[in-house]
Amino acid sequence: MAPVTITIPDDFPSVFNGTSAHERCKKIGETKVYTARGADEDAELIRRIDDARIAINIRAHARFSEGVMAACRKLEMISIWGTGTDNIDLDAAGRHGITVCNTPGVNAFAVAEHALALMLAAARRIPRIDREVRGGAWPRDLLTQLLGKTLGVFGTGKIGARVITLGRALGMDVLAYSARGAAAAVAELGARAASKEDILRRADVVSLHLRLAPETRGFLGRREFSMMKPTTILINTGRGALVEREALLDALTQGKLAGAGLDVFHDEPIKPGDPLLALPSVVLSPHNAGQTPEVIRDGLLRAIENVENYLAGKPTDVVVAPVKARR
């Protein structure tokens, strides 16, 4: 068996370098960490992975394409810090004999708390009111009370399930959409299973917790926004591409939505001059819903544990297993 070489090609902004996970990784084998951005270009990502057997994926801007996997002939495992896999060509990984693992659920409670924070901030208009009070005003606008309102949750994985719990704790009536059609599981969470269209028509708050995949890209577009009440608030802590960008901007500027709380965007970082920045009804955060010390520590250690288990012949948290023998 070849010596274990491990590369972390995309630790920017750095969360891995110098941590307990880094030290644990070095005990497995030769470890190389790149803390400057640049891994979003195929040629540079290939250069950084070079002859590594293992790649630990930290950031979604590093895209493991068919070309990258074809070029990195020694690569046999990608261990993802986090849940999302939309930056990895999973079909290509299987064809090239590469195992892909992630760390599901580690950030679930932190992201759910953030979704709730965005929900409350948008409903209570906290950022705008804060600015006005600091500027000498004393605004008396009517605010939105969530008690008794209907929360629509799309996606009932660990994050969505926790959002259901938090919504019910506020006294909200919760409708939930399971991509797997798991009505019984939804009922066990204390929510009522409903269709996409039913939720859109009835919900006062819509919160997105779906995994980005070809079938969920553009999950909300003009058709969907036309079904929603003009008093609805949209919360997105999933992926920006779950929502059609121009349809969202039109809905917000034309009064088809009351507001939004967004932690994810089509372009990250969000560009200066983006129209979203000028909308007072929108609360923004920089894709940091899961950024707590506890989540970072536990998630990174879990990603290393997945490497250890793979090398021991007992892979865990497997998203893709090779469909053919190693190259």
Side-chain angles (χ1 to χ4, degrees), residues 27-54:
K27 294 177 181 178
I28 301 172
E30 180 184 354
T31 301
K32 189 181 298 183
V33 183
Y34 291 87
T35 58
R37 184 153 183 172
D40 33 355
E41 297 294 334
D42 275 13
E44 178 60 16
L45 182 55
I46 291 168
R47 187 190 72 80
R48 292 183 181 191
I49 295 174
D50 194 18
D51 60 351
R53 285 179 60 195
I54 310 289

PDB file of all heavy atoms in Angstrom, residues 27-54:
ATOM      1  N   LYS A  27      -0.793  12.750  11.935  1.00  0.00           N
ATOM      2  CA  LYS A  27      -0.447  11.436  12.465  1.00  0.00           C
ATOM      3  C   LYS A  27      -0.822  10.325  11.489  1.00  0.00           C
ATOM      4  O   LYS A  27      -0.311   9.198  11.595  1.00  0.00           O
ATOM      5  CB  LYS A  27      -1.141  11.215  13.812  1.00  0.00           C
ATOM      6  CG  LYS A  27      -0.640  12.152  14.907  1.00  0.00           C
ATOM      7  CD  LYS A  27      -1.405  11.940  16.202  1.00  0.00           C
ATOM      8  CE  LYS A  27      -0.912  12.904  17.285  1.00  0.00           C
ATOM      9  NZ  LYS A  27      -1.677  12.753  18.547  1.00  0.00           N
ATOM     10  N   ILE A  28      -1.716  10.627  10.555  1.00  0.00           N
ATOM     11  CA  ILE A  28      -2.128   9.631   9.570  1.00  0.00           C
ATOM     12  C   ILE A  28      -1.093   9.515   8.454  1.00  0.00           C
ATOM     13  O   ILE A  28      -0.770   8.431   7.985  1.00  0.00           O
ATOM     14  CB  ILE A  28      -3.498  10.001   8.965  1.00  0.00           C
ATOM     15  CG1 ILE A  28      -4.554  10.096  10.063  1.00  0.00           C
ATOM     16  CG2 ILE A  28      -3.912   8.995   7.902  1.00  0.00           C
ATOM     17  CD1 ILE A  28      -5.884  10.645   9.574  1.00  0.00           C
ATOM     18  N   GLY A  29      -0.586  10.679   8.027  1.00  0.00           N
ATOM     19  CA  GLY A  29       0.368  10.675   6.936  1.00  0.00           C
ATOM     20  C   GLY A  29       0.827  12.076   6.594  1.00  0.00           C
ATOM     21  O   GLY A  29       0.489  13.051   7.275  1.00  0.00           O
ATOM     22  N   GLU A  30       1.599  12.188   5.535  1.00  0.00           N
ATOM     23  CA  GLU A  30       2.099  13.488   5.099  1.00  0.00           C
ATOM     24  C   GLU A  30       0.918  14.390   4.732  1.00  0.00           C
ATOM     25  O   GLU A  30       0.066  14.018   3.915  1.00  0.00           O
ATOM     26  CB  GLU A  30       3.018  13.318   3.893  1.00  0.00           C
ATOM     27  CG  GLU A  30       3.589  14.639   3.379  1.00  0.00           C
ATOM     28  CD  GLU A  30       4.406  14.456   2.124  1.00  0.00           C
ATOM     29  OE1 GLU A  30       4.624  13.302   1.714  1.00  0.00           O
ATOM     30  OE2 GLU A  30       4.818  15.487   1.554  1.00  0.00           O
ATOM     31  N   THR A  31       0.871  15.571   5.344  1.00  0.00           N
ATOM     32  CA  THR A  31      -0.279  16.458   5.194  1.00  0.00           C
ATOM     33  C   THR A  31       0.154  17.806   4.642  1.00  0.00           C
ATOM     34  O   THR A  31       1.093  18.424   5.155  1.00  0.00           O
ATOM     35  CB  THR A  31      -0.988  16.660   6.554  1.00  0.00           C
ATOM     36  OG1 THR A  31      -1.420  15.392   7.053  1.00  0.00           O
ATOM     37  CG2 THR A  31      -2.188  17.584   6.416  1.00  0.00           C
ATOM     38  N   LYS A  32      -0.522  18.245   3.595  1.00  0.00           N
ATOM     39  CA  LYS A  32      -0.213  19.529   2.975  1.00  0.00           C
ATOM     40  C   LYS A  32      -1.470  20.391   3.007  1.00  0.00           C
ATOM     41  O   LYS A  32      -2.541  19.953   2.572  1.00  0.00           O
ATOM     42  CB  LYS A  32       0.242  19.309   1.532  1.00  0.00           C
ATOM     43  CG  LYS A  32       0.798  20.548   0.837  1.00  0.00           C
ATOM     44  CD  LYS A  32       1.193  20.221  -0.606  1.00  0.00           C
ATOM     45  CE  LYS A  32       2.293  19.188  -0.651  1.00  0.00           C
ATOM     46  NZ  LYS A  32       2.741  18.908  -2.048  1.00  0.00           N
ATOM     47  N   VAL A  33      -1.344  21.627   3.512  1.00  0.00           N
ATOM     48  CA  VAL A  33      -2.492  22.528   3.644  1.00  0.00           C
ATOM     49  C   VAL A  33      -2.241  23.791   2.835  1.00  0.00           C
ATOM     50  O   VAL A  33      -1.183  24.426   2.974  1.00  0.00           O
ATOM     51  CB  VAL A  33      -2.742  22.902   5.119  1.00  0.00           C
ATOM     52  CG1 VAL A  33      -3.992  23.774   5.247  1.00  0.00           C
ATOM     53  CG2 VAL A  33      -2.875  21.662   5.993  1.00  0.00           C
ATOM     54  N   TYR A  34      -3.213  24.166   2.005  1.00  0.00           N
ATOM     55  CA  TYR A  34      -3.164  25.418   1.240  1.00  0.00           C
ATOM     56  C   TYR A  34      -4.168  26.395   1.836  1.00  0.00           C
ATOM     57  O   TYR A  34      -5.365  26.107   1.906  1.00  0.00           O
ATOM     58  CB  TYR A  34      -3.493  25.162  -0.233  1.00  0.00           C
ATOM     59  CG  TYR A  34      -2.434  24.380  -0.965  1.00  0.00           C
ATOM     60  CD1 TYR A  34      -2.453  22.985  -0.962  1.00  0.00           C
ATOM     61  CD2 TYR A  34      -1.416  25.025  -1.657  1.00  0.00           C
ATOM     62  CE1 TYR A  34      -1.486  22.259  -1.632  1.00  0.00           C
ATOM     63  CE2 TYR A  34      -0.441  24.308  -2.340  1.00  0.00           C
ATOM     64  CZ  TYR A  34      -0.484  22.922  -2.317  1.00  0.00           C
ATOM     65  OH  TYR A  34       0.490  22.212  -2.995  1.00  0.00           O
ATOM     66  N   THR A  35      -3.669  27.552   2.265  1.00  0.00           N
ATOM     67  CA  THR A  35      -4.531  28.526   2.932  1.00  0.00           C
ATOM     68  C   THR A  35      -4.796  29.769   2.086  1.00  0.00           C
ATOM     69  O   THR A  35      -5.396  30.723   2.571  1.00  0.00           O
ATOM     70  CB  THR A  35      -3.918  28.952   4.277  1.00  0.00           C
ATOM     71  OG1 THR A  35      -2.616  29.497   4.041  1.00  0.00           O
ATOM     72  CG2 THR A  35      -3.823  27.776   5.237  1.00  0.00           C
ATOM     73  N   ALA A  36      -4.363  29.782   0.831  1.00  0.00           N
ATOM     74  CA  ALA A  36      -4.651  30.885  -0.091  1.00  0.00           C
ATOM     75  C   ALA A  36      -5.696  30.422  -1.099  1.00  0.00           C
ATOM     76  O   ALA A  36      -5.675  29.276  -1.538  1.00  0.00           O
ATOM     77  CB  ALA A  36      -3.391  31.333  -0.816  1.00  0.00           C
ATOM     78  N   ARG A  37      -6.610  31.308  -1.460  1.00  0.00           N
ATOM     79  CA  ARG A  37      -7.630  30.934  -2.437  1.00  0.00           C
ATOM     80  C   ARG A  37      -6.966  30.699  -3.797  1.00  0.00           C
ATOM     81  O   ARG A  37      -5.917  31.233  -4.093  1.00  0.00           O
ATOM     82  CB  ARG A  37      -8.701  32.010  -2.546  1.00  0.00           C
ATOM     83  CG  ARG A  37      -9.838  31.607  -3.500  1.00  0.00           C
ATOM     84  CD  ARG A  37     -11.147  32.257  -3.199  1.00  0.00           C
ATOM     85  NE  ARG A  37     -12.191  31.766  -4.101  1.00  0.00           N
ATOM     86  CZ  ARG A  37     -13.468  32.048  -3.987  1.00  0.00           C
ATOM     87  NH1 ARG A  37     -13.884  32.812  -2.991  1.00  0.00           N
ATOM     88  NH2 ARG A  37     -14.360  31.580  -4.843  1.00  0.00           N
ATOM     89  N   GLY A  38      -7.622  29.952  -4.618  1.00  0.00           N
ATOM     90  CA  GLY A  38      -7.071  29.634  -5.932  1.00  0.00           C
ATOM     91  C   GLY A  38      -7.496  28.257  -6.392  1.00  0.00           C
ATOM     92  O   GLY A  38      -7.399  27.913  -7.566  1.00  0.00           O
ATOM     93  N   ALA A  39      -8.032  27.472  -5.455  1.00  0.00           N
ATOM     94  CA  ALA A  39      -8.418  26.103  -5.775  1.00  0.00           C
ATOM     95  C   ALA A  39      -9.707  26.038  -6.578  1.00  0.00           C
ATOM     96  O   ALA A  39     -10.168  24.951  -6.914  1.00  0.00           O
ATOM     97  CB  ALA A  39      -8.575  25.291  -4.488  1.00  0.00           C
ATOM     98  N   ASP A  40     -10.317  27.203  -6.894  1.00  0.00           N
ATOM     99  CA  ASP A  40     -11.542  27.195  -7.690  1.00  0.00           C
ATOM    100  C   ASP A  40     -11.247  27.060  -9.186  1.00  0.00           C
ATOM    101  O   ASP A  40     -12.183  26.961  -9.987  1.00  0.00           O
ATOM    102  CB  ASP A  40     -12.397  28.437  -7.407  1.00  0.00           C
ATOM    103  CG  ASP A  40     -11.600  29.681  -7.091  1.00  0.00           C
ATOM    104  OD1 ASP A  40     -10.367  29.594  -6.994  1.00  0.00           O
ATOM    105  OD2 ASP A  40     -12.209  30.739  -6.946  1.00  0.00           O
ATOM    106  N   GLU A  41      -9.983  27.071  -9.582  1.00  0.00           N
ATOM    107  CA  GLU A  41      -9.603  26.810 -10.975  1.00  0.00           C
ATOM    108  C   GLU A  41      -9.117  25.364 -11.087  1.00  0.00           C
ATOM    109  O   GLU A  41      -8.309  24.900 -10.274  1.00  0.00           O
ATOM    110  CB  GLU A  41      -8.488  27.762 -11.403  1.00  0.00           C
ATOM    111  CG  GLU A  41      -8.882  29.238 -11.396  1.00  0.00           C
ATOM    112  CD  GLU A  41      -9.943  29.567 -12.432  1.00  0.00           C
ATOM    113  OE1 GLU A  41     -10.010  28.835 -13.453  1.00  0.00           O
ATOM    114  OE2 GLU A  41     -10.708  30.520 -12.229  1.00  0.00           O
ATOM    115  N   ASP A  42      -9.606  24.657 -12.114  1.00  0.00           N
ATOM    116  CA  ASP A  42      -9.257  23.246 -12.252  1.00  0.00           C
ATOM    117  C   ASP A  42      -7.750  22.999 -12.238  1.00  0.00           C
ATOM    118  O   ASP A  42      -7.255  22.114 -11.527  1.00  0.00           O
ATOM    119  CB  ASP A  42      -9.843  22.685 -13.558  1.00  0.00           C
ATOM    120  CG  ASP A  42     -11.285  22.222 -13.407  1.00  0.00           C
ATOM    121  OD1 ASP A  42     -11.901  22.567 -12.379  1.00  0.00           O
ATOM    122  OD2 ASP A  42     -11.778  21.530 -14.319  1.00  0.00           O
ATOM    123  N   ALA A  43      -7.026  23.794 -13.014  1.00  0.00           N
ATOM    124  CA  ALA A  43      -5.582  23.569 -13.128  1.00  0.00           C
ATOM    125  C   ALA A  43      -4.893  23.734 -11.779  1.00  0.00           C
ATOM    126  O   ALA A  43      -3.988  22.962 -11.429  1.00  0.00           O
ATOM    127  CB  ALA A  43      -4.976  24.521 -14.159  1.00  0.00           C
ATOM    128  N   GLU A  44      -5.310  24.733 -11.021  1.00  0.00           N
ATOM    129  CA  GLU A  44      -4.687  24.968  -9.712  1.00  0.00           C
ATOM    130  C   GLU A  44      -5.085  23.896  -8.713  1.00  0.00           C
ATOM    131  O   GLU A  44      -4.259  23.446  -7.902  1.00  0.00           O
ATOM    132  CB  GLU A  44      -5.071  26.352  -9.186  1.00  0.00           C
ATOM    133  CG  GLU A  44      -4.511  26.698  -7.811  1.00  0.00           C
ATOM    134  CD  GLU A  44      -2.999  26.688  -7.732  1.00  0.00           C
ATOM    135  OE1 GLU A  44      -2.322  26.720  -8.795  1.00  0.00           O
ATOM    136  OE2 GLU A  44      -2.457  26.661  -6.606  1.00  0.00           O
ATOM    137  N   LEU A  45      -6.356  23.466  -8.752  1.00  0.00           N
ATOM    138  CA  LEU A  45      -6.782  22.401  -7.844  1.00  0.00           C
ATOM    139  C   LEU A  45      -6.012  21.117  -8.141  1.00  0.00           C
ATOM    140  O   LEU A  45      -5.560  20.426  -7.222  1.00  0.00           O
ATOM    141  CB  LEU A  45      -8.288  22.169  -7.979  1.00  0.00           C
ATOM    142  CG  LEU A  45      -8.913  21.116  -7.054  1.00  0.00           C
ATOM    143  CD1 LEU A  45      -8.610  21.414  -5.588  1.00  0.00           C
ATOM    144  CD2 LEU A  45     -10.411  21.017  -7.283  1.00  0.00           C
ATOM    145  N   ILE A  46      -5.830  20.811  -9.421  1.00  0.00           N
ATOM    146  CA  ILE A  46      -5.048  19.629  -9.809  1.00  0.00           C
ATOM    147  C   ILE A  46      -3.610  19.751  -9.300  1.00  0.00           C
ATOM    148  O   ILE A  46      -3.035  18.796  -8.768  1.00  0.00           O
ATOM    149  CB  ILE A  46      -5.072  19.457 -11.345  1.00  0.00           C
ATOM    150  CG1 ILE A  46      -6.475  19.057 -11.806  1.00  0.00           C
ATOM    151  CG2 ILE A  46      -4.038  18.421 -11.791  1.00  0.00           C
ATOM    152  CD1 ILE A  46      -6.679  19.152 -13.305  1.00  0.00           C
ATOM    153  N   ARG A  47      -3.021  20.943  -9.451  1.00  0.00           N
ATOM    154  CA  ARG A  47      -1.646  21.152  -8.990  1.00  0.00           C
ATOM    155  C   ARG A  47      -1.535  20.934  -7.484  1.00  0.00           C
ATOM    156  O   ARG A  47      -0.565  20.336  -6.994  1.00  0.00           O
ATOM    157  CB  ARG A  47      -1.177  22.559  -9.347  1.00  0.00           C
ATOM    158  CG  ARG A  47       0.303  22.807  -9.057  1.00  0.00           C
ATOM    159  CD  ARG A  47       0.671  24.269  -9.195  1.00  0.00           C
ATOM    160  NE  ARG A  47       0.144  25.078  -8.104  1.00  0.00           N
ATOM    161  CZ  ARG A  47       0.705  25.163  -6.896  1.00  0.00           C
ATOM    162  NH1 ARG A  47       1.803  24.448  -6.615  1.00  0.00           N
ATOM    163  NH2 ARG A  47       0.183  25.923  -5.966  1.00  0.00           N
ATOM    164  N   ARG A  48      -2.542  21.406  -6.747  1.00  0.00           N
ATOM    165  CA  ARG A  48      -2.477  21.302  -5.298  1.00  0.00           C
ATOM    166  C   ARG A  48      -2.687  19.866  -4.817  1.00  0.00           C
ATOM    167  O   ARG A  48      -2.025  19.420  -3.875  1.00  0.00           O
ATOM    168  CB  ARG A  48      -3.526  22.224  -4.661  1.00  0.00           C
ATOM    169  CG  ARG A  48      -3.215  23.696  -4.853  1.00  0.00           C
ATOM    170  CD  ARG A  48      -4.215  24.602  -4.155  1.00  0.00           C
ATOM    171  NE  ARG A  48      -3.899  26.014  -4.383  1.00  0.00           N
ATOM    172  CZ  ARG A  48      -4.462  27.023  -3.727  1.00  0.00           C
ATOM    173  NH1 ARG A  48      -5.393  26.797  -2.809  1.00  0.00           N
ATOM    174  NH2 ARG A  48      -4.112  28.266  -3.982  1.00  0.00           N
ATOM    175  N   ILE A  49      -3.607  19.166  -5.453  1.00  0.00           N
ATOM    176  CA  ILE A  49      -3.837  17.774  -5.045  1.00  0.00           C
ATOM    177  C   ILE A  49      -2.651  16.912  -5.442  1.00  0.00           C
ATOM    178  O   ILE A  49      -2.222  16.036  -4.686  1.00  0.00           O
ATOM    179  CB  ILE A  49      -5.145  17.238  -5.673  1.00  0.00           C
ATOM    180  CG1 ILE A  49      -6.342  18.005  -5.135  1.00  0.00           C
ATOM    181  CG2 ILE A  49      -5.300  15.745  -5.368  1.00  0.00           C
ATOM    182  CD1 ILE A  49      -7.644  17.644  -5.788  1.00  0.00           C
ATOM    183  N   ASP A  50      -2.133  17.170  -6.646  1.00  0.00           N
ATOM    184  CA  ASP A  50      -0.915  16.512  -7.125  1.00  0.00           C
ATOM    185  C   ASP A  50      -1.024  14.997  -6.978  1.00  0.00           C
ATOM    186  O   ASP A  50      -1.859  14.371  -7.606  1.00  0.00           O
ATOM    187  CB  ASP A  50       0.292  17.079  -6.378  1.00  0.00           C
ATOM    188  CG  ASP A  50       1.606  16.715  -7.042  1.00  0.00           C
ATOM    189  OD1 ASP A  50       1.575  16.339  -8.230  1.00  0.00           O
ATOM    190  OD2 ASP A  50       2.662  16.800  -6.394  1.00  0.00           O
ATOM    191  N   ASP A  51      -0.193  14.395  -6.106  1.00  0.00           N
ATOM    192  CA  ASP A  51      -0.184  12.931  -5.993  1.00  0.00           C
ATOM    193  C   ASP A  51      -0.847  12.455  -4.699  1.00  0.00           C
ATOM    194  O   ASP A  51      -0.562  11.363  -4.202  1.00  0.00           O
ATOM    195  CB  ASP A  51       1.245  12.397  -6.071  1.00  0.00           C
ATOM    196  CG  ASP A  51       2.125  12.946  -4.955  1.00  0.00           C
ATOM    197  OD1 ASP A  51       1.673  13.855  -4.232  1.00  0.00           O
ATOM    198  OD2 ASP A  51       3.270  12.460  -4.818  1.00  0.00           O
ATOM    199  N   ALA A  52      -1.749  13.252  -4.140  1.00  0.00           N
ATOM    200  CA  ALA A  52      -2.389  12.881  -2.877  1.00  0.00           C
ATOM    201  C   ALA A  52      -3.334  11.697  -3.051  1.00  0.00           C
ATOM    202  O   ALA A  52      -4.028  11.571  -4.052  1.00  0.00           O
ATOM    203  CB  ALA A  52      -3.157  14.075  -2.312  1.00  0.00           C
ATOM    204  N   ARG A  53      -3.345  10.829  -2.047  1.00  0.00           N
ATOM    205  CA  ARG A  53      -4.350   9.752  -2.009  1.00  0.00           C
ATOM    206  C   ARG A  53      -5.671  10.265  -1.435  1.00  0.00           C
ATOM    207  O   ARG A  53      -6.745   9.783  -1.799  1.00  0.00           O
ATOM    208  CB  ARG A  53      -3.855   8.603  -1.125  1.00  0.00           C
ATOM    209  CG  ARG A  53      -2.779   7.740  -1.754  1.00  0.00           C
ATOM    210  CD  ARG A  53      -2.344   6.651  -0.784  1.00  0.00           C
ATOM    211  NE  ARG A  53      -3.458   5.771  -0.415  1.00  0.00           N
ATOM    212  CZ  ARG A  53      -3.427   4.922   0.621  1.00  0.00           C
ATOM    213  NH1 ARG A  53      -2.334   4.858   1.398  1.00  0.00           N
ATOM    214  NH2 ARG A  53      -4.446   4.152   0.892  1.00  0.00           N
ATOM    215  N   ILE A  54      -5.574  11.237  -0.527  1.00  0.00           N
ATOM    216  CA  ILE A  54      -6.751  11.758   0.169  1.00  0.00           C
ATOM    217  C   ILE A  54      -6.808  13.265  -0.014  1.00  0.00           C
ATOM    218  O   ILE A  54      -5.795  13.955   0.143  1.00  0.00           O
ATOM    219  CB  ILE A  54      -6.706  11.456   1.686  1.00  0.00           C
ATOM    220  CG1 ILE A  54      -6.399   9.985   1.948  1.00  0.00           C
ATOM    221  CG2 ILE A  54      -7.985  11.924   2.370  1.00  0.00           C
ATOM    222  CD1 ILE A  54      -7.495   9.033   1.611  1.00  0.00           C
TER     223      ILE A  54
END
